[in-house]
Amino acid sequence: MNSNFINILLVEDNLGDIFLIREMLKQTHTTDFELMSVSRLEEAIQCIHENSFGIILLDLSLPDSQGLDTFLNLASYASRIPTVVLTGSKDETLAIETVRHGAQDYLVKEQVSAEVLIRSIRYALERAQLLEKLRQNEERLQQFNRELKERVEERTIELSEKNEQLKNLLKRSMTDHLTGIANRYSVAELLEREWKNALRNAMPLSIIMMDIDFFKPYNDTYGHPQGDECLKQVAHSIQQTLKRPKDLVARYGGEEFLAILPDTDRAGAMVVVRQIQADIWVLNLFHPASPIRDRITLSFGVATIIPEGKTQSTTLIAMADKALYLAKQRGRDRIEYNEPNA
């Protein structure tokens, strides 16, 4: 201890022993001991509540308590105060149990000298001081861990929210705001992914390009709000026709749409495109300005390829676009298929 003054509580009912202990404590010239003595355990507990003590000297044989229970009962009220047991019992088992439960030392009265008692007190105080520092460090470490955990949780929530925001932003950036389907930018990403998959597995990949016939006259007749509604209905109809999760429909231009059909050969693509055409007819959207029919119709260009070698995905786009051009050139409201190398 750094302090030269130590307040001691002596719990002892034998007046002779109290006198001897006082005399022993007087034999040191480096530390001032202030001794308060009580004869009963209940008095000791009361004193602990009312005073501050640096150490407790405890006899286990008291009028109101005996043996290990004496220490345990006192320790439950004074767990932070170092306690040295100073008793008449030479019971080795009791000594071991008492120290195991937290006593700093176990001294037998008839074997104690002033030197032994003072050394035991000093060692007990030093150990208690060290334990208190360890306890404080542990509390600080636990507090730090709690704060770190809270910060990690807060940061995790923050990052999760930001990640969700980024996902939403990405989704919005890849979605056509008018129709709610994918936009032209998402086509490039998905087509490239499916192209690589088809190349790796030697599987066919098909594309359907679609264009609403004579859409400008429709807008001129009904106005852009009605034109937007028409685009929404067409987009929804195409999307409903595509049944597989990997199939994608996108708004590729103003009134142009594109469907990507992974693992789909020519026959499968033709089944899909004919169903799209039939579903558009069922919409029965009146278009009196159309020179071919009085309803909204679409022209379709279909292409299929099994990727190989250094062929690029843009090749398939170009093939479908060429087929669409032919469909328009040959009268519209029709389907044209572009054979590879045609």
Side-chain angles (χ1 to χ4, degrees):
M1 291 289 290
N2 294 326
S3 174
N4 291 323
F5 176 84
I6 300 172
N7 201 15
I8 299 175
L9 174 63
L10 174 61
V11 189
E12 172 64 67
D13 65 328
N14 187 300
L15 294 178
D17 288 340
I18 294 172
F19 174 79
L20 289 175
I21 291 169
R22 285 186 183 277
E23 292 301 311
M24 289 181 187
L25 295 176
K26 291 178 182 179
Q27 295 184 32
T28 177
H29 301 291
T30 58
T31 306
D32 291 329
F33 294 110
E34 180 69 26
L35 188 67
M36 176 184 290
S37 65
V38 294
S39 61
R40 302 173 65 86
L41 180 61
E42 62 177 348
E43 293 174 335
I45 293 171
Q46 185 64 33
C47 282
I48 291 168
H49 285 305
E50 297 174 353
N51 301 274
S52 177
F53 295 100
I55 193 167
I56 299 173
L57 301 178
L58 175 66
D59 187 0
L60 296 181
S61 298
L62 299 172
D64 57 346
S65 183
Q66 296 290 316
L68 180 62
D69 287 342
T70 304
F71 174 77
L72 294 177
N73 288 331
L74 182 68
S76 66
Y77 292 94
S79 59
R80 297 274 181 92
I81 306 175
T83 299
V84 172
V85 171
L86 185 57
T87 188
S89 174
K90 298 180 181 180
D91 187 336
E92 185 174 346
T93 300
L94 177 60
I96 293 171
E97 282 298 299
T98 305
V99 172
R100 189 173 71 84
H101 282 87
Q104 293 293 324
D105 205 349
Y106 186 98
L107 303 177
V108 179
K109 291 179 181 178
E110 66 181 50
Q111 299 174 350
V112 171
S113 64
E115 181 182 357
V116 169
L117 177 60
I118 293 170
R119 183 170 63 242
S120 178
I121 290 173
R122 285 178 175 161
Y123 286 170
L125 291 168
E126 289 173 1
R127 284 194 297 270
Q129 186 181 50
L130 177 60
L131 288 173
E132 180 62 18
K133 288 181 179 178
L134 290 173
R135 184 191 64 79
Q136 291 175 0
N137 288 338
E138 179 66 22
E139 285 183 353
R140 283 194 289 268
L141 179 60
Q142 290 177 358
Q143 179 63 26
F144 173 79
N145 287 336
R146 284 193 296 269
E147 293 174 355
L148 180 61
K149 182 180 179 182
E150 290 174 0
R151 288 198 295 270
V152 168
E153 290 175 350
E154 290 172 357
R155 185 59 175 161
T156 300
I157 293 172
E158 181 183 342
L159 289 175
S160 178
E161 291 174 348
K162 288 185 179 298
N163 188 47
E164 195 62 32
Q165 291 171 1
L166 288 173
K167 285 182 180 178
N168 291 333
L169 286 172
L170 179 61
K171 184 178 180 180
R172 286 198 294 271
S173 71
M174 305 291 277
T175 302
D176 178 62
H177 297 306
L178 176 63
T179 62
I181 63 175
N183 61 20
R184 188 185 186 109
Y185 303 106
S186 62
V187 167
E189 180 181 335
L190 180 64
L191 180 59
E192 192 62 31
R193 184 169 72 241
E194 294 302 336
W195 180 270
K196 290 178 180 177
N197 184 58
L199 178 63
R200 183 169 54 251
N201 297 293
M203 301 295 290
L205 179 63
S206 294
I207 277 185
I208 305 171
M209 294 193 75
M210 302 157 267
D211 193 84
I212 299 177
D213 295 323
F214 303 105
F215 188 68
K216 184 178 183 305
Y218 185 89
N219 265 339
D220 293 342
T221 301
Y222 291 107
H224 288 283
Q226 186 61 34
D228 289 347
E229 183 60 31
C230 174
L231 289 169
K232 291 178 185 177
Q233 292 191 51
V234 169
H236 180 72
S237 177
I238 299 170
Q239 191 172 45
Q240 289 296 106
T241 305
L242 302 182
K243 305 298 184 183
R244 302 180 307 174
K246 292 183 71 174
D247 293 342
L248 173 83
V249 60
R251 186 181 178 194
Y252 200 61
E255 65 271 17
E256 192 173 32
F257 299 88
L258 180 144
I260 300 175
L261 308 175
D263 191 15
T264 304
D265 57 14
R266 172 177 178 169
M270 294 305 292
V271 169
V272 173
V273 73
R274 290 191 185 103
Q275 186 61 55
I276 292 173
Q277 185 181 49
D279 291 342
I280 295 298
W281 288 340
V282 170
L283 282 178
N284 207 26
L285 298 174
F286 191 51
H287 187 3
S290 172
I292 56 172
R293 295 185 65 171
D294 63 353
R295 298 291 184 273
I296 284 290
T297 59
L298 269 66
S299 296
F300 301 89
V302 185
T304 302
I305 195 171
I306 298 177
E308 59 182 19
K310 297 182 179 180
T311 310
Q312 301 295 314
S313 60
T314 51
T315 301
L316 186 57
I317 292 280
M319 289 170 58
D321 189 54
K322 182 178 179 181
L324 177 60
Y325 174 79
L326 289 174
K328 291 179 180 181
Q329 193 179 48
R330 293 173 180 175
R332 302 178 188 260
D333 188 24
R334 60 185 292 119
I335 301 167
E336 291 292 339
Y337 183 85
N338 188 0
E339 295 284 355
N341 302 319

